[in-house]
Amino acid sequence: MKIVIITQARTGSTRLPNKVLKKIANKTLLEIHLERILQSKLATHIIVATTNKIEDNLIEEESKKKNVICSRGSEDDVLDRFYQAVKKLNPDYIVRVTSDCPLLDPQLIDTVIKTTIDKKVDYCSNVQEETFPDGQDIEVFTYKALELAWKNAKLISEREHVTPYIRNNSSFFNQELFTAYNYSSSHLKYKNVRMTVDEPKDYEVVSSLINSLGIDKGWKEYAELYLNDTNISDLNSTINRNEGYKKSLKKD
């Protein structure tokens, strides 16, 4: 079975330019991210999908350092970028992750992959119900589902964010697939646990988590440190999740 992880990466972030090339513990965030997702036991291929812009030559160089394939395509039509990156491989399943999640847990990636296969669905994720920390977002879908979306998706939000069309036209069901860990602000028991990097405060948070625990811990250990140390969590726990997707929806 062919299972491809595709991670989005570019230097053109508006809120924190060059964020994935910023360093913590002498490694770029992209390098940390790649080292972690390369530990997936179920994925057979890893691809970094970046843009054709000259600035993103740096992303390609960083990918090559880790012996990871880099595919380049449209900056705005990320759905097309994904499809072009993977169509020659014609895989069974694709795993979508993003490089602004440096602490993504490889064991959690494998859990979502296995769940997708076992449940025989064409789309599955751990983010439909936002109970995992922001920064542990994993989506798995079939190549056929991606191809269908590439051919039929028309809305800006469907082209800029890869999976909205797939989610809305799939056999996916979310109930009972994953434990509701309650690490999101939609569950008032806890603060929003945020270990993605989108703004300067996020970078401070991830730096603190890595400086305290290193780069090889599981997602729960990072989440518990975040919750138990207000000097960390107070930095970014009020930032809203999925701001980029919400902006795309306004363009539709």
Side-chain angles (χ1 to χ4, degrees):
M1 186 176 292
K2 199 179 293 183
I3 300 170
V4 182
I5 297 177
I6 305 181
T7 184
Q8 294 171 220
R10 65 187 182 100
T11 58
S13 170
T14 54
R15 289 180 289 274
L16 186 58
N18 297 308
K19 61 185 179 182
V20 299
L21 298 178
K22 289 185 175 295
K23 288 191 174 183
I24 301 174
N26 295 317
K27 293 187 177 186
T28 65
L29 296 184
L30 179 58
E31 186 177 5
I32 294 168
H33 171 79
L34 291 175
E35 287 181 359
R36 287 178 67 86
I37 67 175
L38 281 163
Q39 295 174 50
S40 165
K41 291 181 169 59
L42 296 181
T44 58
H45 299 74
I46 311 284
I47 297 175
V48 174
T50 193
T51 81
N52 285 321
K53 295 182 70 174
I54 191 169
E55 294 92 333
D56 287 330
N57 289 350
L58 295 171
I59 300 293
E60 184 168 3
E61 290 172 12
E62 196 76 0
S63 305
K64 287 179 178 177
K65 288 179 187 176
K66 307 308 295 183
N67 294 314
V68 172
I69 298 166
C70 183
S71 177
R72 305 185 67 164
S74 170
E75 180 178 24
D76 297 323
D77 190 346
V78 188
L79 177 57
D80 182 67
R81 197 197 311 169
F82 262 62
Y83 178 72
Q84 300 302 333
V86 80
K87 69 176 183 179
K88 289 183 180 179
L89 285 172
N90 191 22
D92 298 284
Y93 292 94
I94 296 155
V95 183
R96 176 183 177 258
V97 297
T98 57
S99 59
D100 55 5
C101 300
L103 297 178
L104 195 61
D105 193 318
Q107 292 186 9
L108 185 56
I109 291 173
D110 286 346
T111 297
V112 182
I113 292 172
K114 187 175 186 304
T115 302
T116 310
I117 296 169
D118 289 349
K119 296 294 183 181
K120 296 181 172 61
V121 290
D122 52 13
Y123 171 89
C124 183
S125 80
N126 68 332
V127 295
Q128 200 80 344
E129 287 286 331
E130 294 176 350
T131 64
F132 284 82
D134 195 353
Q136 296 296 328
D137 302 2
I138 301 155
E139 297 178 287
V140 180
F141 42 91
T142 63
Y143 176 70
K144 289 182 180 179
L146 176 65
E147 190 169 46
L148 185 69
W150 178 76
K151 289 178 179 177
N152 295 303
K154 298 292 188 287
L155 297 175
I156 292 173
S157 60
E158 295 172 341
R159 306 301 302 192
E160 288 186 342
H161 294 275
V162 182
T163 56
Y165 184 92
I166 298 173
R167 287 198 304 268
N168 293 329
N169 296 273
S170 73
S171 59
F172 172 72
F173 58 98
N174 190 57
Q175 276 64 34
E176 307 302 328
L177 291 190
F178 299 101
T179 303
Y181 286 104
N182 295 349
Y183 284 110
S184 174
S185 59
S186 59
H187 300 266
L188 298 179
K189 184 178 178 182
Y190 295 120
K191 297 179 180 179
N192 177 39
V193 179
R194 184 176 168 90
M195 55 183 79
T196 190
V197 179
D198 193 42
E199 301 189 13
K201 292 295 185 183
D202 295 326
Y203 174 72
E204 291 182 45
V205 166
V206 172
S207 296
S208 296
L209 294 175
I210 289 174
N211 290 333
S212 296
L213 295 176
I215 62 172
D216 60 349
K217 299 297 187 292
W219 71 267
K220 286 185 185 178
E221 291 174 82
Y222 293 115
E224 291 302 324
L225 174 59
Y226 183 101
L227 288 169
N228 291 321
D229 189 337
T230 56
N231 290 323
I232 297 176
S233 58
D234 284 353
L235 288 170
N236 73 345
S237 62
T238 59
I239 298 174
N240 291 325
R241 193 166 184 158
N242 296 325
E243 281 297 313
Y245 180 55
K246 291 171 185 173
K247 286 185 177 180
S248 293
L249 288 174
K250 291 178 180 178
K251 299 177 189 175
D252 288 347

